[in-house]
Amino acid sequence: MNFFKKLYLNNLFFYALCGVITLFACAFIFPALYNMTWYILLILLTFLALDILILFFAKNGIEANRITPEKLSNGDENPININVKNFYTFSISIKIIDEIPFQFQIRDFEIRRKIKASSQDEINYFLRPTERGEYSFGDLNVYVSSPLQIVSRRFTFDKNQMVPTYPSYIQLRKYDLLAFSNNLFQYGIKKIRRIGHTMEFEQIKEYVPGDDIRTLNWKATAKKNSLMVNQFQDEKSQSVYMVIDKGRVMKMPFNGLSLLDYAINATLVMSNVILKKQDKAGMFAFSKKVENRVFAEKRSSQMSKFLESLYNIKSDFFESDFSRLYVDIKKNINHRSLIILYTNFETLDGLHRQLPYLKGIAKSHLLVVVFFNNTELNQLIDKKSDNVQEVYDKIIAEKFAFEKRLIVNELKKYGIYSVLTQPENLTLDTINKYLEIKARGIL
């Protein structure tokens, strides 16, 4: 019984069989074809038996295994490798059907390859998860055909393999040195310019062209009889909290990923940059209540705490309670801190409902509100209108886009900083705003 579960007839056999049936039908008109057709059928069955024999004679004809990352990176292309070893003494054709986790909804996965005799090959493909959580792979099915191509033998490997999907650690590596490499200026990645300096003194050094002449130290200049300047450094050990709104406004999808997951990915990268800048990084998420809290510290174990907390963020996308957020910050964050709030406002009325709480937070802390441009609206605005209905839709879209800019001005009026960004630029724009605040020394 196990033998028949592994045996599959290829299309070539059925094409040949259809040809034999056609010849038998023609033999009614041309009787001379009858005996010849029987010979052809006998040859076909002989080749069928021979193909089965050479494929099933070897107990272990091939060996295959699936190599996955220890964890998948949410929102990124993750490489999946399949190694196949051919123990047959002839070249084989293989068809790989990997039972991919149901979250991807890929129902037509198939890879075909030829492998030479007594050799091995590595096959790669990529998966892009859009949800955090556990992803279970099923069987790795490999169908092997000999050069005769009449039947296939199925081999099954790597049953029930589970891989967790974490926030985007691939982005973490990508932006790891963003805050420290001066070469990033020329590539246009680091888009801020340094404005002034902080007041944390580092050393007195000799003046070189390009130094700020406002930092000249006249006493040291007189002693050394050459121009000397004070050198300052960014203040360290400042507390930075990333606050993630996990309410219904963050459910909107973009390129398969919700705004909540974009904010989670950006928080992971930001925490790494903050710790590398010798500041304290903390976070929490809120909707009806405040959860997933990580207190601001700069210990070596902080990144693992962030990773686990961000992985475990779950939301039913209820209406967010900003009053609870205000009370929690007032109660638990005693020192002036930089608070980066990831949320979304679609209308000015939506902002005004939460503005009293944002103003309350901004009185004690430096608040940066990060919210999103609706990219679909931009596409609608740029699209040429062909009828009255499309003109009307375009005007409404321009109204909503204009309200986004009004929200920025409204926040600015009350001393609240803001970042209006597209989801794909969220991480970069947030890092730039943090570096700008550090450069200006306004925390």
Side-chain angles (χ1 to χ4, degrees):
M1 192 65 180
N2 193 40
F3 166 77
F4 290 105
K5 288 182 178 180
K6 296 179 179 179
L7 176 64
Y8 289 82
L9 298 174
N10 289 340
N11 289 340
L12 180 61
F13 173 77
F14 292 106
Y15 294 151
L17 193 60
C18 287
V20 170
I21 294 171
T22 303
L23 287 174
F24 272 120
C26 292
F28 283 100
I29 304 172
F30 307 102
L33 292 175
Y34 184 74
N35 290 330
M36 184 186 72
T37 305
W38 274 107
Y39 286 122
I40 293 173
L41 178 59
L42 184 61
I43 292 171
L44 176 61
L45 294 177
T46 302
F47 276 111
L48 173 64
L50 179 62
D51 204 9
I52 292 173
L53 183 64
I54 62 177
L55 280 177
F56 285 83
F57 181 77
K59 186 177 181 180
N60 296 314
I62 68 163
E63 185 180 291
N65 64 300
R66 181 199 305 116
I67 301 173
T68 64
E70 183 180 344
K71 51 184 177 286
L72 300 178
S73 178
N74 193 25
D76 299 311
E77 296 289 345
N78 295 266
I80 310 295
N81 301 323
I82 298 175
N83 289 325
V84 182
K85 293 181 180 179
N86 177 19
F87 298 120
Y88 288 109
T89 56
F90 50 84
S91 62
I92 58 173
S93 299
I94 63 170
K95 179 173 72 173
I96 298 174
I97 298 179
D98 197 359
E99 295 179 3
I100 292 172
F102 70 90
Q103 290 95 331
F104 294 102
Q105 292 296 298
I106 299 175
R107 305 180 187 277
D108 57 351
F109 182 90
E110 182 181 301
I111 297 175
R112 292 181 181 269
R113 193 69 60 91
K114 287 187 176 181
I115 304 179
K116 295 179 180 179
S118 302
S119 63
Q120 64 180 24
D121 196 3
E122 183 177 296
I123 297 118
N124 303 312
Y125 67 92
F126 293 86
L127 293 176
R128 181 180 180 267
T130 55
E131 298 176 7
R132 286 163 291 113
E134 296 182 350
Y135 285 63
S136 295
F137 288 82
D139 295 343
L140 174 62
N141 301 290
V142 183
Y143 297 83
V144 179
S145 299
S146 73
L148 294 177
Q149 295 287 319
I150 296 176
V151 298
S152 294
R153 178 181 175 183
R154 185 180 77 169
F155 293 86
T156 304
F157 306 94
D158 292 342
K159 298 181 179 180
N160 303 323
Q161 183 179 4
M162 193 281 289
V163 182
T165 296
Y166 275 75
S168 179
Y169 59 85
I170 290 179
Q171 280 193 40
L172 185 66
R173 297 168 186 165
K174 178 181 176 182
Y175 294 110
D176 195 25
L177 298 177
L178 179 64
F180 313 102
S181 175
N182 292 328
N183 294 328
L184 292 176
F185 282 103
Q186 63 187 357
Y187 296 116
I189 296 178
K190 197 171 181 181
K191 296 182 285 188
I192 67 165
R193 61 189 180 92
R194 296 186 69 86
I195 304 172
H197 51 76
T198 64
M199 296 307 294
E200 187 167 321
F201 177 77
E202 184 177 16
Q203 65 176 348
I204 299 174
K205 71 180 188 72
E206 194 169 335
Y207 173 83
V208 294
D211 284 338
D212 190 349
I213 59 173
R214 293 174 297 178
T215 63
L216 282 171
N217 187 317
W218 295 109
K219 288 185 179 179
T221 297
K223 288 181 180 179
K224 290 284 187 178
N225 200 26
S226 64
L227 291 175
M228 305 294 289
V229 294
N230 294 329
Q231 187 173 10
F232 299 90
Q233 64 179 358
D234 292 336
E235 293 183 16
K236 298 177 181 179
S237 297
Q238 296 174 308
S239 296
V240 182
Y241 280 91
M242 275 107 9
V243 182
I244 302 173
D245 181 354
K246 57 179 185 177
R248 63 176 181 82
V249 295
M250 299 293 279
K251 190 176 182 179
M252 185 183 297
F254 176 81
N255 198 18
L257 216 61
S258 68
L259 296 183
L260 174 61
D261 279 306
Y262 277 104
I264 288 171
N265 290 344
T267 298
L268 181 63
V269 178
M270 273 295 299
S271 63
N272 186 52
V273 173
I274 291 165
L275 292 171
K276 290 290 179 68
K277 294 287 286 182
Q278 302 299 314
D279 282 335
K280 300 175 184 177
M283 64 149 284
F284 50 89
F286 79 102
S287 58
K288 282 189 169 182
K289 58 183 180 178
V290 176
E291 299 173 304
N292 309 102
R293 190 189 306 275
V294 177
F295 286 101
E297 294 176 330
K298 56 175 183 179
R299 296 180 180 177
S300 57
S301 61
Q302 196 73 347
M303 282 305 301
S304 61
K305 288 182 181 179
F306 265 90
L307 195 60
E308 291 302 322
S309 294
L310 292 170
Y311 173 75
N312 290 310
I313 288 180
K314 293 179 175 60
S315 177
D316 294 323
F317 296 104
F318 292 118
E319 185 73 26
S320 298
D321 189 349
F322 276 76
S323 63
R324 187 177 292 273
L325 172 67
Y326 166 71
V327 171
D328 189 271
I329 290 176
K330 193 171 183 64
K331 179 182 177 182
N332 293 300
I333 306 178
N334 300 320
H335 301 288
R336 178 174 170 82
S337 305
L338 170 60
I339 295 178
I340 302 173
L341 171 62
Y342 295 98
T343 185
N344 197 33
F345 296 111
E346 289 295 333
T347 64
L348 204 54
D349 289 337
L351 171 67
H352 284 151
R353 285 196 298 270
Q354 315 301 346
L355 194 56
Y357 308 114
L358 298 179
K359 287 161 60 179
I361 296 170
K363 283 182 180 179
S364 305
H365 305 280
L366 181 61
L367 177 61
V368 177
V369 176
V370 182
F371 62 110
F372 300 88
N373 258 323
N374 191 326
T375 53
E376 291 187 2
L377 286 182
N378 294 337
Q379 294 172 7
L380 193 59
I381 292 170
D382 296 335
K383 182 182 176 183
K384 184 180 179 182
S385 302
D386 296 325
N387 52 56
V388 175
Q389 180 63 44
E390 290 182 357
V391 171
Y392 177 76
D393 292 340
K394 187 172 183 177
I395 291 172
I396 296 298
E398 288 176 346
K399 175 183 178 295
F400 279 112
F402 180 66
E403 281 210 33
K404 290 280 188 179
R405 296 191 291 273
L406 288 179
I407 290 171
V408 173
N409 291 332
E410 189 73 9
L411 290 170
K412 188 176 181 180
K413 188 194 305 182
Y414 297 102
I416 301 172
Y417 291 84
S418 63
V419 176
L420 177 59
T421 182
Q422 295 181 357
E424 69 269 27
N425 297 328
L426 172 63
T427 302
L428 180 62
D429 289 343
T430 309
I431 292 174
N432 282 331
K433 177 57 72 172
Y434 165 70
L435 295 178
E436 178 187 340
I437 288 170
K438 291 291 291 181
R440 294 174 62 183
I442 56 178
L443 177 53

